[in-house]
Amino acid sequence: MRPKVSVVVPVYNLEFYVERCLASLANQTCKDIEVLVINDGGTDDSQLLIDEFVAQYPGMFKSFIKPNGGHGAACNYGIDRATGEYIIIVDGDDFLDEDAIEFMYDKAQETGADLLIGNLRYYFTGHTAQFKPIPIDSERELDEADRDKLYRNWATPCGRIYHRSIFEDPDVRLLPGILFADANFVPKSYLVAKKIYYVDKELYNYDNTRPTQSMKQTDKRILNIVPALNDMLAFYRKKGAFEAKRTQLMWYVGMHCVAWIRRVQTLVGYSKLQALREIFAVADGNFGADWLKTGIIWDVFGVKVHRAIKIARMFRYVPITLAWRFVGVCRRIDWRVERVLGLPLRGYQRLKRGVRARIGALP
């Protein structure tokens, strides 16, 4: 008999986190679920913990081990083997409240939604914060105007429940072999979902404290955003929806390109200018200058950033790297000036300490 929900859990070297994740699934109030744990070729002791849950809950947990192929490949592996009426993705370092699956399933059944979207609760060191995937405050089925707003926000497949019909199209998958596969997949789901329903409730606990998260990479892998976005745009072209959704795609791509500037600033081992050009080639190559005219950069990052990007684009993004160098030079000069100006103060402080030591030594 088909379970109500299949939970796909991609895992790669998460031995310090995966037990919390799997325990949160074992403790769900909805028991009619299967949990497919996909070990993506990890090299730590995660599998030992996974095996414990399989042994303790043999009717619920299923373990799979595959060669390393990245987050997207692991999710796809689980999706292709899921038997549930609905599918949920839970990353192995995150976790759910105990009533999350029951709530999502019941609400999806009640509303007839093939994609139900809720909020996330971000966990940082010492505090939490809410993440809303759409700027509305009321629970409702999303109309076309609401659905368009989804393209103006950051992408995540988490905190969502998908009817299995979403994945009947084999093209609706995460791009394998890359970081940032979420950014690739989520707009695909927006296009194929017939009915999207939003609930203003935290449905997912997202841990931002892990130091090796993809969002914290500083090497060339940050350029994985390029194939992620290009493949997503190719999907829209293949489905004949590129022109109909052109404005929304310009919002989405432009926003991600500008957001990646900060990542490029910390990039090591690769030309920062070349990286910027490769990233912005996605927006420029697919939309020309039109993506800047949509106002998305102004709205999300502010008028100063909008104007700066407009100027930088005219000079093939060289001004951005020049600004970084200028700021670096200014910081080095500032440090040297502070050192020089601090010499008299440090001399006075040493003199004062010496005088105090002599006075204290008097009988």
Side-chain angles (χ1 to χ4, degrees):
M1 185 176 176
R2 186 190 299 278
K4 290 180 178 178
V5 178
S6 295
V7 185
V8 175
V9 184
V11 173
Y12 179 73
N13 288 351
L14 296 175
E15 62 180 333
F16 299 113
Y17 303 88
V18 70
E19 184 175 11
R20 177 185 62 181
C21 173
L22 300 185
S24 78
L25 300 176
N27 293 328
Q28 288 296 303
T29 55
C30 178
K31 300 301 182 183
D32 189 10
I33 65 174
E34 64 173 2
V35 181
L36 298 87
V37 189
I38 318 301
N39 188 338
D40 190 40
T43 57
D44 67 356
D45 288 333
S46 294
Q47 191 59 44
L48 296 176
L49 298 168
I50 295 168
D51 291 341
E52 289 180 7
F53 279 87
V54 173
Q56 188 173 357
Y57 306 95
M60 179 184 294
F61 285 84
K62 301 177 182 179
S63 173
F64 302 88
I65 302 174
K66 60 177 290 296
N68 180 251
H71 179 262
C75 289
N76 293 342
Y77 191 94
I79 290 168
D80 291 339
R81 288 158 179 79
T83 63
E85 183 183 1
Y86 291 87
I87 296 174
I88 295 173
I89 296 174
V90 179
D91 289 342
D93 52 342
D94 301 328
F95 60 102
L96 301 183
D97 293 344
E98 65 180 15
D99 64 341
I101 293 180
E102 182 176 23
F103 176 87
M104 285 190 274
Y105 176 82
D106 288 347
K107 186 64 70 171
Q109 286 276 294
E110 173 192 330
T111 61
D114 52 354
L115 172 54
L116 179 82
I117 298 176
N119 302 330
L120 275 61
R121 186 182 297 110
Y122 278 163
Y123 277 75
F124 300 95
T125 302
H127 73 283
T128 63
Q130 183 192 63
F131 170 78
K132 295 185 62 145
I134 185 170
I136 59 177
D137 294 319
S138 61
E139 174 182 319
R140 62 176 183 256
E141 179 183 352
L142 302 187
D143 60 20
E144 283 303 311
D146 288 332
R147 288 171 72 128
D148 287 348
K149 292 175 184 176
L150 290 169
Y151 294 84
R152 298 173 66 95
N153 212 338
W154 309 109
T156 175
C158 302
R160 306 178 179 199
I161 189 170
Y162 301 86
H163 192 271
R164 64 178 300 105
S165 59
I166 292 278
F167 300 103
E168 288 177 355
D169 184 340
D171 291 330
V172 184
R173 296 292 187 276
L174 293 81
L175 186 64
I178 64 165
L179 300 179
F180 318 118
D182 292 359
N184 167 265
F185 164 75
V186 172
K188 297 177 182 178
S189 68
Y190 296 158
L191 181 63
V192 301
K194 296 180 177 65
K195 185 173 184 178
I196 304 178
Y197 196 87
Y198 168 73
V199 290
D200 191 14
K201 174 181 171 67
E202 284 74 40
L203 299 178
Y204 190 95
N205 297 297
Y206 189 102
D207 193 328
N208 269 291
T209 64
R210 185 162 58 90
T212 56
Q213 281 184 312
S214 62
M215 303 304 287
K216 301 176 182 179
Q217 296 295 336
T218 59
D219 59 28
K220 193 181 176 182
R221 287 177 293 177
I222 65 170
L223 294 179
N224 283 180
I225 193 63
V226 174
L229 294 175
N230 277 330
D231 177 80
M232 181 273 296
L233 294 173
F235 174 86
Y236 272 73
R237 285 192 170 93
K238 181 176 181 179
K239 303 303 178 184
F242 185 86
E243 289 304 324
K245 290 293 185 182
R246 190 170 189 270
T247 298
Q248 292 79 10
L249 294 173
M250 285 193 288
W251 292 339
Y252 189 81
V253 170
M255 188 174 66
H256 278 78
C257 288
V258 174
W260 250 249
I261 292 175
R262 286 189 177 273
R263 300 177 186 277
V264 174
Q265 188 174 6
T266 61
L267 176 63
V268 294
Y270 193 72
S271 166
K272 295 181 180 181
L273 178 58
Q274 182 61 28
L276 287 172
R277 287 173 173 169
E278 290 178 24
I279 291 168
F280 279 97
V282 181
D284 295 334
N286 285 281
F287 308 111
D290 291 346
W291 67 274
L292 268 172
K293 299 175 184 176
T294 65
I296 185 65
I297 307 308
W298 188 310
D299 293 343
V300 175
F301 301 97
V303 60
K304 291 183 179 179
V305 173
H306 173 87
R307 290 172 178 167
I309 297 299
K310 191 174 182 180
I311 294 170
R313 185 178 181 275
M314 294 171 59
F315 298 96
R316 301 195 64 222
Y317 303 101
V318 170
I320 297 175
T321 57
L322 290 179
W324 290 338
R325 292 177 186 174
F326 176 74
V327 170
V329 169
C330 288
R331 285 175 178 168
R332 288 193 292 273
I333 292 174
D334 180 64
W335 180 79
R336 288 189 174 92
V337 169
E338 286 187 354
R339 293 280 293 178
V340 170
L341 295 179
L343 284 174
L345 175 61
R346 290 194 293 274
Y348 170 73
Q349 289 172 335
R350 282 196 296 271
L351 177 62
K352 186 168 63 174
R353 287 195 297 270
V355 170
R356 283 177 176 172
R358 290 177 180 274
I359 292 175
L362 293 176

